[in-house]
Amino acid sequence: MKPQAKSYLITVFMGALLLAGCATGPAGKQAQASASNRVLAAYEVPDLLAQAAPAVSQSLDKNLPDDVSDTDRQRLRDVVFDAYDPQALQADVAENLREQAGTDGREAALVAAAEALDTPLATKMIGLESTTGEANFAQNFKAFVDQPATDRRKARLRQIDSLAQDMQIIELQTGFNVTLLEAMIRARNAASGPQHQVDAPRIEQMVAKTRGNIEGKLEQRVPLMLLYVYRDVSNAELESYVQLQSRPELVWTNQALKKSIIDALSDAGERVASNFQNAS
């Protein structure tokens, strides 16, 4: 269930707030649609969403009871990939984000966030995060972490702790994993006989335990991973980026984007079980 680490998770911004206005009328709707899609594209959210179907399907293959027929396994596989269609998920996330902006009265913040993603600093920092998916990353990362903790490293790590919190990285990665886990269990129930069912209390227990385990691991690793990928960034650039991410409109966008992604994945998970049962 663990998604491949990529540039996201989660990063956002500031921009031409005065130009954003209140986003009303046809032009405002167009600006909101553009802003939400640009935010998703900048953080490679489509890449993250594309990992959902394979993650759930592979987990199901390992956890389905042996007496589930090959026909039902294939049918469940098809239902999973249909429910987690990346383009449909992307559209759902973008719509969720726009709706949250309207509900919270933060249309201007959303447009400002999208504008800020075009800045060289944001582009550079987000791009550096994608190096976590490169070959030999684990080996190089370990060698870096094993180096003595200098005063400079300690100071930068404190900045990065704040940055990770504003970016909602740990919260999103945790939510991504536990949402897919819960969907997998419910899909397994839909395809399994009564003797293999996992009841609601047990599902809650499993999800809670997994959430705690993932949060604990990410709290230890995420700041160090960001410290590594930003190792060649100057102190001035890092400070500027930390300040950028801490602005209220950016913090709101991060939180809203995280919620939009989790809600879309949760809805898709519910469709898996219901669509499988309806097709039976």
Side-chain angles (χ1 to χ4, degrees), residues 184-195:
M184 184 279 292
I185 297 172
R186 297 190 185 283
R188 180 185 183 279
N189 278 352
S192 303
Q195 70 275 24

Side-chain angles (χ1 to χ4, degrees), residues 167-243:
M167 288 162 50
Q168 295 283 290
I169 295 179
I170 294 171
E171 292 82 359
L172 177 60
Q173 289 283 3
T174 301
F176 183 94
N177 279 276
V178 299
T179 301
L180 296 190
L181 170 64
E182 187 170 5
M184 184 279 292
I185 297 172
R186 297 190 185 283
R188 180 185 183 279
N189 278 352
S192 303
Q195 70 275 24
H196 298 299
Q197 297 289 309
V198 181
D199 60 23
R202 176 59 177 156
I203 293 176
E204 292 180 5
Q205 183 183 35
M206 294 170 68
V207 168
K209 181 178 179 180
T210 301
R211 182 184 299 276
N213 288 340
I214 292 174
E215 283 180 339
K217 292 178 181 178
L218 291 177
E219 285 171 356
Q220 292 180 346
R221 293 186 63 83
V222 165
L224 291 173
M225 290 176 71
L226 290 178
L227 182 68
Y228 173 71
V229 300
Y230 295 155
R231 64 193 181 281
D232 295 326
V233 173
S234 69
N235 290 341
E237 282 184 305
L238 179 59
E239 176 63 25
S240 295
Y241 193 55
V242 170
Q243 292 177 357

Side-chain angles (χ1 to χ4, degrees), residues 90-105:
Q90 183 178 344
D92 289 344
V93 173
E95 182 178 359
N96 289 346
L97 187 55
R98 292 192 296 271
E99 289 180 352
Q100 286 192 70
T103 299
D104 295 350

